[in-house]
């Protein structure tokens, strides 16, 4: 799977086109990505978001395996959290005017491959209410989530309107 630069909006998430969803941490072996250390407290906060992540109204937007690892899949424990190199779900961090979307293995990219997310993402994670709390859902909706989630209820553009059959 090709990577995405941080801030890209062409996510493989349903109805993300034209929404406030922004990619963070979609790394791939053939791309340059920012490297550096992050604070342990940020990593712990991100882990706790991942542990209780809010789930969007679709089953799975695709698997995302780490191709930076040289040999197959790996997994590491950080405290009581298991960070695997592959992921089949996303982590949503609402930030007021945007929603950051990462593969769940962003923790693996940070822990194993020294990926350093941009400061605005780190600030958003630290300010984000606990996943699935009322405050989180409120922030998600006001950060563009209301419009995005509404897309799931509407027929895609170009869908013909059903008309009554005149022969019955
Ligand atoms: Zn890896």
């Amino acid at each position: 799977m090709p990577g995405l630069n941080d801030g890209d909006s062409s996510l493989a998430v349903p109805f993300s086109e034209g929404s406030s969803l922004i990619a963070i941490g979609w790394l791939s072996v053939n791309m340059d990505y920012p490297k550096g250390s992050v604070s342990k407290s940020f990593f712990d906060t991100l882990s706790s978001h991942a542990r209780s992540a809010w789930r969007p109204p679709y089953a799975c937007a695709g698997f995302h395996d780490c191709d930076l690892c040289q040999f197959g899949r790996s997994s590491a424990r950080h405290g009581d959290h298991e960070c695997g190199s592959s992921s089949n779900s996303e982590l949503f961090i609402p930030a007021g005017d945007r929603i950051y979307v990462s593969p769940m293995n962003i923790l693996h990219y940070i822990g194993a491959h020294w990926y350093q997310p941009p400061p605005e993402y780190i600030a958003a994670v630290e300010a984000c209410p606990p996943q699935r709390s009322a405050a989180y859902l409120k922030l998600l909706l006001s950060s563009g989530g209301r419009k995005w989630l509404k897309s799931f209820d509407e027929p895609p553009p170009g869908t013909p309107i059903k008309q009554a059959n005149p022969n019955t």
Side-chain angles (χ1 to χ4, degrees):
M1 180 173 172
L4 290 173
N5 289 315
D6 287 345
D8 203 315
S9 56
S10 53
L11 283 155
V13 167
F15 306 112
S16 61
E17 203 183 316
S19 75
S20 64
L21 271 54
I22 300 284
I24 286 284
W26 296 84
L27 307 191
S28 172
V29 71
N30 290 323
M31 64 189 275
D32 284 327
Y33 63 90
K35 285 182 190 156
S37 56
V38 300
S39 74
K40 179 72 167 56
S41 75
F42 161 71
F43 192 78
D44 289 345
T45 305
L46 190 62
S47 296
S48 71
H49 280 293
R51 263 199 307 275
S52 56
W54 172 78
R55 305 304 292 263
Y58 56 81
C60 174
F63 289 93
H64 189 73
D65 277 331
C66 176
D67 58 10
L68 276 64
C69 284
Q70 189 173 180
F71 300 111
R73 293 178 179 176
S74 69
S75 187
R77 283 199 82 75
H78 297 278
D80 59 350
H81 189 69
E82 189 85 28
C83 299
S85 64
S86 58
S87 122
N88 63 356
S89 61
E90 292 83 35
L91 181 62
F92 294 80
I93 302 289
D97 61 348
R98 62 188 61 189
I99 301 170
Y100 293 112
V101 185
S102 310
M104 210 52 93
N105 59 358
I106 186 173
L107 289 158
H108 168 79
Y109 290 137
I110 295 169
H113 302 296
W114 293 85
Y115 164 59
Q116 189 179 51
E120 59 269 25
Y121 179 71
I122 292 175
V125 167
E126 284 170 344
C128 185
Q131 299 269 322
R132 297 190 276 183
S133 65
Y136 172 88
L137 295 172
K138 200 175 159 202
L139 184 60
L140 186 82
L141 292 177
S142 66
S143 301
R146 182 172 283 112
K147 179 173 169 255
W148 173 57
L149 290 168
K150 213 168 168 269
S151 319
F152 289 86
D153 299 331
E154 286 169 359
T159 305
I161 294 162
K162 232 185 192 161
Q163 286 184 348
N165 187 342
N167 301 323
T168 53

